[in-house]
Amino acid sequence: MLLGCARRTIERRGLIERGMRVLVACSGGPDSAALLGCLARLAPELGFAVEAASVDHGLRAGAAADVDIAARQAAQVGVTFHRLVVEVAQGPSLQAQARDARYAALLALAAQLRAQRVAVGHTRDDQAETVLLRLLRGAGVRGLGAVSPHRSDGVIRPLIDCDRATVHAFAETHFAEIARDPSNTNPRFERIWVREQLLPVLAARDPAVVQHLAQLSDDAREHTQVVDFA
């Protein structure tokens, strides 16, 4: 089921062309493990090459161990693995700084490898959460476009149309080891509040709320592109 979803996303959204090299960003967690497993299986069929990389920010105990897990996941599916280390200065917006440093390191490695794409493991649930976060912050139509499936710098999200439950089930089925980031359950983060408190309330009224929010993001990006073109 997940392979079919990822294949349709790649083809419908034009994420990867034959002959390309794709660098998969791996944290060792379930989303990126599923992404790695999917792309390793789809690569021969769709005609692209895959390598993997994990970034150690050095911000919490256990980060290096998570990179070790990601390395073993890559070895399991026969994909070349690269270990990256970045330094992030302590201060405000630490998570944003870490994210920026991570993407910079991945894109720099992709350039060295002549990889035209950097794949990351955001799911449809991540998209829905981002739309709600943008709404709560008063975003306009452009902001509601949220997470782009295909960024201009080559970052792609092949799992963006796949639900989190299916993604995690695939990872648990195919990999013996999965890293667990404690920040993904920390209620002090606004995204976790949206995930654990707000979305369940909305889903009780509309079981398809995640799908509807994800579609809203697609519609917002399409509208923005039309306005920009005009």
Short mmCIF file of all heavy atoms in Angstrom, two decimals, residues 185-211:
data_model
loop_
_atom_site.label_atom_id
_atom_site.label_comp_id
_atom_site.label_asym_id
_atom_site.label_seq_id
_atom_site.Cartn_x
_atom_site.Cartn_y
_atom_site.Cartn_z
N THR A 185 7.03 13.65 21.20
CA THR A 185 5.93 13.44 22.16
C THR A 185 5.92 14.50 23.24
O THR A 185 5.18 14.38 24.22
CB THR A 185 6.05 12.04 22.81
OG1 THR A 185 7.31 11.94 23.48
CG2 THR A 185 5.92 10.95 21.77
N ASN A 186 6.73 15.55 23.08
CA ASN A 186 6.83 16.59 24.10
C ASN A 186 5.72 17.63 23.91
O ASN A 186 5.72 18.37 22.91
CB ASN A 186 8.20 17.28 24.01
CG ASN A 186 8.47 18.19 25.18
OD1 ASN A 186 7.56 18.74 25.79
ND2 ASN A 186 9.73 18.37 25.50
N PRO A 187 4.76 17.71 24.84
CA PRO A 187 3.60 18.60 24.65
C PRO A 187 3.93 20.08 24.69
O PRO A 187 3.07 20.91 24.38
CB PRO A 187 2.68 18.21 25.80
CG PRO A 187 3.59 17.65 26.86
CD PRO A 187 4.69 16.97 26.10
N ARG A 188 5.16 20.45 25.05
CA ARG A 188 5.49 21.88 25.08
C ARG A 188 5.66 22.43 23.67
O ARG A 188 5.63 23.66 23.48
CB ARG A 188 6.72 22.14 25.92
CG ARG A 188 8.05 21.78 25.29
CD ARG A 188 9.18 22.03 26.27
NE ARG A 188 10.49 21.71 25.71
CZ ARG A 188 11.24 22.58 25.04
NH1 ARG A 188 10.81 23.80 24.84
NH2 ARG A 188 12.43 22.21 24.58
N PHE A 189 5.82 21.55 22.69
CA PHE A 189 5.92 21.99 21.31
C PHE A 189 4.52 22.14 20.72
O PHE A 189 3.67 21.26 20.86
CB PHE A 189 6.75 21.01 20.48
CG PHE A 189 8.19 20.94 20.89
CD1 PHE A 189 8.73 19.77 21.38
CD2 PHE A 189 9.01 22.06 20.77
CE1 PHE A 189 10.07 19.70 21.76
CE2 PHE A 189 10.35 22.01 21.14
CZ PHE A 189 10.87 20.83 21.64
N GLU A 190 4.29 23.25 20.02
CA GLU A 190 2.96 23.55 19.50
C GLU A 190 2.48 22.48 18.53
O GLU A 190 1.30 22.12 18.51
CB GLU A 190 2.97 24.91 18.81
CG GLU A 190 1.59 25.42 18.44
CD GLU A 190 1.61 26.81 17.85
OE1 GLU A 190 2.69 27.25 17.39
OE2 GLU A 190 0.55 27.46 17.82
N ARG A 191 3.38 21.93 17.72
CA ARG A 191 2.97 20.90 16.77
C ARG A 191 2.43 19.66 17.49
O ARG A 191 1.48 19.03 17.02
CB ARG A 191 4.14 20.51 15.86
CG ARG A 191 3.80 19.41 14.85
CD ARG A 191 4.94 19.13 13.91
NE ARG A 191 5.19 20.23 13.01
CZ ARG A 191 4.56 20.41 11.84
NH1 ARG A 191 3.63 19.54 11.45
NH2 ARG A 191 4.87 21.42 11.06
N ILE A 192 3.04 19.31 18.61
CA ILE A 192 2.58 18.14 19.35
C ILE A 192 1.20 18.41 19.95
O ILE A 192 0.35 17.51 19.98
CB ILE A 192 3.59 17.77 20.46
CG1 ILE A 192 4.98 17.57 19.84
CG2 ILE A 192 3.14 16.51 21.19
CD1 ILE A 192 5.02 16.59 18.68
N TRP A 193 0.96 19.64 20.39
CA TRP A 193 -0.39 19.99 20.86
C TRP A 193 -1.41 19.86 19.74
O TRP A 193 -2.50 19.30 19.94
CB TRP A 193 -0.39 21.41 21.42
CG TRP A 193 -1.76 21.86 21.82
CD1 TRP A 193 -2.44 21.56 22.97
CD2 TRP A 193 -2.65 22.67 21.03
NE1 TRP A 193 -3.69 22.12 22.95
CE2 TRP A 193 -3.85 22.81 21.77
CE3 TRP A 193 -2.55 23.28 19.79
CZ2 TRP A 193 -4.94 23.55 21.31
CZ3 TRP A 193 -3.63 24.01 19.31
CH2 TRP A 193 -4.81 24.14 20.07
N VAL A 194 -1.07 20.34 18.56
CA VAL A 194 -1.98 20.20 17.42
C VAL A 194 -2.22 18.72 17.12
O VAL A 194 -3.36 18.29 16.89
CB VAL A 194 -1.39 20.92 16.18
CG1 VAL A 194 -2.14 20.51 14.91
CG2 VAL A 194 -1.44 22.42 16.37
N ARG A 195 -1.16 17.92 17.15
CA ARG A 195 -1.25 16.50 16.82
C ARG A 195 -2.08 15.72 17.84
O ARG A 195 -2.93 14.91 17.45
CB ARG A 195 0.15 15.91 16.73
CG ARG A 195 0.21 14.43 16.39
CD ARG A 195 1.66 13.97 16.29
NE ARG A 195 2.39 14.78 15.32
CZ ARG A 195 3.72 14.78 15.18
NH1 ARG A 195 4.47 14.02 15.97
NH2 ARG A 195 4.29 15.54 14.26
N GLU A 196 -1.85 15.99 19.11
CA GLU A 196 -2.45 15.16 20.15
C GLU A 196 -3.73 15.72 20.74
O GLU A 196 -4.52 14.96 21.33
CB GLU A 196 -1.43 14.92 21.27
CG GLU A 196 -0.20 14.15 20.80
CD GLU A 196 0.74 13.81 21.93
OE1 GLU A 196 0.53 14.30 23.06
OE2 GLU A 196 1.70 13.04 21.68
N GLN A 197 -3.94 17.04 20.60
CA GLN A 197 -5.12 17.65 21.20
C GLN A 197 -6.12 18.17 20.16
O GLN A 197 -7.30 17.83 20.20
CB GLN A 197 -4.69 18.80 22.14
CG GLN A 197 -3.76 18.38 23.26
CD GLN A 197 -4.41 17.45 24.25
OE1 GLN A 197 -5.61 17.56 24.54
NE2 GLN A 197 -3.63 16.51 24.79
N LEU A 198 -5.64 19.00 19.24
CA LEU A 198 -6.56 19.66 18.30
C LEU A 198 -7.06 18.72 17.21
O LEU A 198 -8.28 18.63 16.98
CB LEU A 198 -5.87 20.87 17.69
CG LEU A 198 -6.71 21.70 16.71
CD1 LEU A 198 -8.01 22.16 17.36
CD2 LEU A 198 -5.91 22.90 16.20
N LEU A 199 -6.15 18.02 16.54
CA LEU A 199 -6.58 17.17 15.42
C LEU A 199 -7.55 16.07 15.85
O LEU A 199 -8.53 15.81 15.13
CB LEU A 199 -5.37 16.56 14.71
CG LEU A 199 -4.91 17.29 13.44
CD1 LEU A 199 -3.64 16.67 12.90
CD2 LEU A 199 -6.01 17.30 12.38
N PRO A 200 -7.36 15.41 16.99
CA PRO A 200 -8.33 14.39 17.39
C PRO A 200 -9.75 14.96 17.59
O PRO A 200 -10.73 14.30 17.27
CB PRO A 200 -7.76 13.86 18.72
CG PRO A 200 -6.29 14.06 18.58
CD PRO A 200 -6.15 15.37 17.85
N VAL A 201 -9.85 16.19 18.10
CA VAL A 201 -11.16 16.82 18.27
C VAL A 201 -11.81 17.07 16.90
O VAL A 201 -13.00 16.78 16.68
CB VAL A 201 -11.03 18.15 19.04
CG1 VAL A 201 -12.36 18.90 19.05
CG2 VAL A 201 -10.57 17.89 20.47
N LEU A 202 -11.02 17.58 15.96
CA LEU A 202 -11.55 17.82 14.62
C LEU A 202 -11.91 16.51 13.91
O LEU A 202 -12.91 16.43 13.21
CB LEU A 202 -10.50 18.59 13.79
CG LEU A 202 -10.15 19.99 14.29
CD1 LEU A 202 -9.02 20.58 13.46
CD2 LEU A 202 -11.37 20.90 14.26
N ALA A 203 -11.08 15.48 14.11
CA ALA A 203 -11.33 14.19 13.47
C ALA A 203 -12.59 13.54 14.01
O ALA A 203 -13.25 12.76 13.30
CB ALA A 203 -10.14 13.27 13.67
N ALA A 204 -12.96 13.85 15.24
CA ALA A 204 -14.19 13.30 15.80
C ALA A 204 -15.43 13.84 15.08
O ALA A 204 -16.45 13.16 14.98
CB ALA A 204 -14.28 13.61 17.29
N ARG A 205 -15.30 15.05 14.55
CA ARG A 205 -16.40 15.65 13.78
C ARG A 205 -16.29 15.34 12.30
O ARG A 205 -17.29 15.25 11.59
CB ARG A 205 -16.40 17.18 13.99
CG ARG A 205 -16.60 17.62 15.42
CD ARG A 205 -17.98 17.22 15.95
NE ARG A 205 -19.04 17.85 15.22
CZ ARG A 205 -19.61 19.01 15.57
NH1 ARG A 205 -19.16 19.66 16.65
NH2 ARG A 205 -20.59 19.52 14.87
N ASP A 206 -15.04 15.23 11.81
CA ASP A 206 -14.79 14.95 10.39
C ASP A 206 -13.64 13.96 10.28
O ASP A 206 -12.48 14.34 10.35
CB ASP A 206 -14.44 16.24 9.65
CG ASP A 206 -14.06 16.00 8.20
OD1 ASP A 206 -14.31 14.88 7.69
OD2 ASP A 206 -13.51 16.93 7.58
N PRO A 207 -13.93 12.66 10.12
CA PRO A 207 -12.86 11.66 10.06
C PRO A 207 -11.87 11.88 8.92
O PRO A 207 -10.75 11.37 8.97
CB PRO A 207 -13.64 10.35 9.86
CG PRO A 207 -15.00 10.62 10.43
CD PRO A 207 -15.27 12.06 10.11
N ALA A 208 -12.26 12.65 7.91
CA ALA A 208 -11.37 12.91 6.77
C ALA A 208 -10.68 14.26 6.88
O ALA A 208 -10.20 14.80 5.88
CB ALA A 208 -12.17 12.84 5.46
N VAL A 209 -10.57 14.81 8.09
CA VAL A 209 -10.04 16.16 8.24
C VAL A 209 -8.59 16.26 7.76
O VAL A 209 -8.20 17.27 7.16
CB VAL A 209 -10.16 16.64 9.71
CG1 VAL A 209 -9.31 15.79 10.64
CG2 VAL A 209 -9.79 18.11 9.82
N VAL A 210 -7.79 15.24 7.99
CA VAL A 210 -6.39 15.28 7.54
C VAL A 210 -6.33 15.38 6.02
O VAL A 210 -5.58 16.19 5.46
CB VAL A 210 -5.61 14.05 8.04
CG1 VAL A 210 -4.26 13.93 7.35
CG2 VAL A 210 -5.41 14.13 9.55
N GLN A 211 -7.12 14.56 5.34
CA GLN A 211 -7.16 14.61 3.88
C GLN A 211 -7.64 15.98 3.39
O GLN A 211 -7.10 16.54 2.43
CB GLN A 211 -8.09 13.52 3.36
CG GLN A 211 -8.20 13.46 1.84
CD GLN A 211 -9.11 12.33 1.38
OE1 GLN A 211 -9.46 11.45 2.16
NE2 GLN A 211 -9.49 12.38 0.12
#
